[in-house]
């Protein structure tokens, strides 16, 4: 239940959830409002039909009284006129005149009877019912009580009271109290709001996915520019931004490459001149410093190029790649072992994966003296681990270990590192959609973990 509530809160916190909520509330308010208006109209039509029935009966009785007063009064007194009968003591009947019906009746007759109509108790109309009090056989229910009205009029100079009873019309049922109907309205409102919200936020999700892909790799594919005009304009702007950022990074790499190339000539001349130094110890130190400078330039250029890769994606046998890296390192006398495989086929950029793992292995050899390589699957995700058996690094420095030119712990270094090996490894991992993390192993040493997507 808590997970469901948490998911609902997260959904309502999203743009899709908020749009869906606003639309659902708006649709419900509009639907219920329309229902109430329609119901008022139905009730108004029901009252109009009921009033018309009363007026029609009253006009019929008045017409009979006008044409043949004596016979009509006799029929009313004897109950021989269905739907109307004579009331002897109208003063004893507690009624309140209905002004609307009285006005309608007066406007439809030109007789000098001056009639008026009032709602009367049902007992007035049922007083002369011959079968009302009779016993009933089993299964015979009493009839529904009629609507009762009392009409008064002056005929031949005297006041007469006539009770008019009409079969009761059942009021139309209210839609707003129908649970099934309200449930269908609510379900339709929620479904429609969710569909509209997802359609409205689909371009935003596409843009978010494209931004995430661009953050992982500078060579991400451009976003397909489809949809409404304003959406297409936003996507086109995003694609233009990608192109400009990519062009800027490529230009930066070219500048660094040009600088590196131009520096090689004077540095080579400098090396030749250093060879002429007579002091052998001084000459060796100077040449070593110059070699370190050249190596640092090369690594710096590698770092600049690490995020720029035009390599195509392909599917590779991961265990084969790991085994080859371990064998290559072992040929140079390093204690590198491939201890466990998972048999996964992964879609990556092969050169980027190899450069990433090579940097991790080199880092393990340099700072720990050896490396154990293993791979495994966890819920469809491929995890590659490179572990050394060295002293590890302080936990507080783990987060800074991937920063360029930062040495997490100088005690782990032999002094010839540049501090960008892990930075390059992370850039290559990002280029293939992976993620690298570092942790000190409980049994000693540093453990680098590369997590790839589903195999």
């Amino acid at each position: 239940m808590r997970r469901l509530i948490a998911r609902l809160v997260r959904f309502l916190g999203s743009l899709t959830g908020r749009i869906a909520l606003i639309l659902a509330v708006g649709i419900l308010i509009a639907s219920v409002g329309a229902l109430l208006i329609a119901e008022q109209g139905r009730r108004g039509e029901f009252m109009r039909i009921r009033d018309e029935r009363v007026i029609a009966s009253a006009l019929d009785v008045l017409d009979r009284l006008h044409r043949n007063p004596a016979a009509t009064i006799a029929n009313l007194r004897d109950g021989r006129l269905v739907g109307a009968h004579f009331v002897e003591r109208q003063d004893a009947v507690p009624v309140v005149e209905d002004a609307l019906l009285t006005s309608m009746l007066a406007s439809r007759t030109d007789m000098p009877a001056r009639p008026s109509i009032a709602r009367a108790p049902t007992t007035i109309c049922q007083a002369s019912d011959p079968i009302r009090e009779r016993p009933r056989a089993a299964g015979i229910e009493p009839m529904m009580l009629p609507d009762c009205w009392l009409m008064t009029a002056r005929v031949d100079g005297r006041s007469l009271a006539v009770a008019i009873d009409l079969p009761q019309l059942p009021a139309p049922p209210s839609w707003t109290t129908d649970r099934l109907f309200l449930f269908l309205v609510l379900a339709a409102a929620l479904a429609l709001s969710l569909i509209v919200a997802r359609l409205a936020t689909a371009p935003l999700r596409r843009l978010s996915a494209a931004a995430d892909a661009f953050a992982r790799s500078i060579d991400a594919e451009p976003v397909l520019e489809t949809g409404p005009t304003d959406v297409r304009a936003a996507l086109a702007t995003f694609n233009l931004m990608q192109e400009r950022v990519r062009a800027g990074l490529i230009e930066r790499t070219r500048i660094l490459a040009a600088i590196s190339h131009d520096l090689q000539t004077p540095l080579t001349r400098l090396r030749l001149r250093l060879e002429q130094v007579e002091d052998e110890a001084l000459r060796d130190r100077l040449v070593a410093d110059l070699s370190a400078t050249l190596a640092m330039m090369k690594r710096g250029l590698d770092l600049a190029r690490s995020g720029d890769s035009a390599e195509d994606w392909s599917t590779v046998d991961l265990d084969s790649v790991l085994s080859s890296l371990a064998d290559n390192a072992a040929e140079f006398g390093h204690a590198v072992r491939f201890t466990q495989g998972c048999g996964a086929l992964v879609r990556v950029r092969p050169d980027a994966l190899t450069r990433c793992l090579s940097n991790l292995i080199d880092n393990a050899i340099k700072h720990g003296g050896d490396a154990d390589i293993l791979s495994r699957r966890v819920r469809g995700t491929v995890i590659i681990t490179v572990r050394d058996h060295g002293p590890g690094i302080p936990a507080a420095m783990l987060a800074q270990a991937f920063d360029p030119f930062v040495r997490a712990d100088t005690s782990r270094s032999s002094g010839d590192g540049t501090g960008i090996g892990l930075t390059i490894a992370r850039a290559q991992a990002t280029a293939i959609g992976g993620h690298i993390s570092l942790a000190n192993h409980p049994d000693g040493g540093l453990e680098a973990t590369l997590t790839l997507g589903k195999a």
Side-chain angles (χ1 to χ4, degrees):
M1 186 64 182
R2 291 182 179 178
R3 290 183 180 180
L4 181 60
I5 294 176
R7 291 181 63 182
L8 180 61
V9 171
R10 287 196 302 270
F11 176 73
L12 293 179
S14 65
L15 181 60
T16 302
R18 293 181 180 182
I19 293 177
L21 179 63
I22 293 173
L23 285 176
V25 172
I27 293 174
L28 284 176
I29 292 176
S31 299
V32 173
L35 286 176
L36 291 176
I37 294 174
E39 186 170 341
Q40 290 297 324
R42 291 172 69 226
R43 289 189 176 276
E45 183 65 15
F46 168 77
M47 297 296 292
R48 186 190 67 79
I49 294 174
R50 188 197 65 179
D51 292 344
E52 287 293 338
R53 294 168 72 236
V54 175
I55 294 298
S57 296
L59 288 175
D60 179 71
V61 172
L62 289 175
D63 182 65
R64 292 172 183 270
L65 289 172
H66 178 71
R67 288 186 285 105
N68 193 347
T72 302
I73 292 174
N75 290 333
L76 290 172
R77 184 177 289 112
D78 297 337
R80 288 180 294 184
L81 187 61
V82 178
H85 63 270
F86 188 70
V87 179
E88 297 290 347
R89 298 182 58 191
Q90 65 270 27
D91 295 338
V93 180
V95 295
V96 177
E97 180 180 341
D98 190 318
L100 176 61
L101 289 179
T102 300
S103 175
M104 291 174 60
L105 185 60
S107 65
R108 297 188 185 186
T109 180
D110 53 357
M111 304 176 189
R114 290 180 295 173
S116 66
I117 297 181
R119 190 66 182 262
T122 306
T123 54
I124 300 300
C125 293
Q126 289 292 317
S128 59
D129 187 353
I131 64 173
R132 180 184 177 195
E133 300 299 334
R134 293 182 184 180
R136 294 179 174 85
I140 303 300
E141 298 293 334
M143 293 183 296
M144 182 182 297
L145 295 178
D147 287 332
C148 189
W149 304 86
L150 185 66
M151 180 185 69
T152 58
R154 295 193 64 83
V155 178
D156 294 338
R158 61 174 180 165
S159 178
L160 298 179
V162 179
I164 299 174
D165 60 284
L166 299 171
Q168 192 177 98
L169 289 178
S174 174
W175 289 338
T176 56
T177 58
D178 189 337
R179 295 182 180 180
L180 178 60
F181 188 81
L182 292 178
F183 173 77
L184 292 177
V185 170
L186 176 61
L190 290 176
L192 180 61
S193 61
L194 286 174
I195 293 173
V196 172
R198 289 193 63 83
L199 290 176
T201 57
L204 183 61
R205 292 194 300 273
R206 289 169 51 201
L207 189 61
S208 176
D212 181 69
F214 185 59
R216 294 177 178 272
S217 174
I218 195 66
D219 298 316
E221 293 292 332
V223 189
L224 188 62
E225 298 174 12
T226 58
T229 55
D230 49 355
V231 172
R232 292 200 302 270
L235 296 178
T237 303
F238 180 82
N239 287 333
L240 179 61
M241 179 203 69
Q242 284 192 117
E243 289 295 330
R244 290 181 176 177
V245 171
R246 188 180 296 112
L249 292 176
I250 293 174
E251 185 64 22
R252 182 201 66 176
T253 303
R254 289 175 179 173
I255 292 173
L256 290 175
I259 293 174
S260 177
H261 180 270
D262 292 344
L263 284 176
Q264 286 181 2
T265 300
L267 288 175
T268 302
R269 290 198 302 265
L270 181 60
R271 183 183 179 87
L272 293 175
R273 291 171 182 172
L274 289 177
E275 294 290 345
Q276 300 175 5
V277 175
E278 296 180 357
D279 188 336
E280 184 177 353
L282 177 60
R283 183 177 66 244
D284 292 341
R285 289 198 298 269
L286 291 175
V287 170
D289 289 342
L290 182 60
S291 298
T293 301
L294 289 172
M296 187 174 295
M297 286 177 53
K298 182 178 181 301
R299 299 285 283 180
L301 185 59
D302 288 342
L303 175 62
R305 290 174 173 171
S306 62
D308 182 15
S309 175
E311 184 184 9
D312 293 331
W313 291 78
S314 61
T315 302
V316 299
D317 184 347
L318 181 61
D319 290 348
S320 253
V321 174
L322 298 180
S323 178
S324 297
L325 290 173
D327 293 341
N328 292 339
E331 289 180 0
F332 287 94
H334 301 303
V336 178
R337 297 167 296 274
F338 176 46
T339 60
Q340 177 184 323
C342 62
L345 296 176
V346 293
R347 182 171 175 78
V348 294
R349 286 171 167 151
D351 185 58
L353 175 64
T354 302
R355 292 178 63 189
C356 173
L357 293 173
S358 296
N359 277 276
L360 294 179
I361 294 171
D362 291 344
N363 188 75
I365 294 172
K366 185 182 298 182
H367 301 305
D370 66 345
D372 289 340
I373 308 172
L374 63 91
S375 65
R376 66 186 189 275
R377 294 188 187 189
V378 178
R379 296 178 181 176
T381 300
V382 177
I383 298 177
I384 306 168
T385 302
V386 178
R387 180 201 169 191
D388 63 49
H389 294 79
I393 61 176
M397 298 297 295
L398 288 173
Q400 288 80 29
F402 291 104
D403 294 340
F405 306 107
V406 172
R407 310 268 282 278
D409 191 352
T410 56
S411 65
R412 286 174 50 90
S413 177
S414 60
D416 58 351
T418 56
I420 61 175
L422 290 177
T423 306
I424 294 175
R426 183 179 62 179
Q428 296 298 325
T430 301
I432 59 177
H435 173 72
I436 294 180
S437 62
L438 296 177
N440 288 312
H441 197 277
D443 297 331
L446 186 68
E447 186 176 66
T449 301
L450 170 62
T451 304
L452 299 177
K454 293 184 178 180

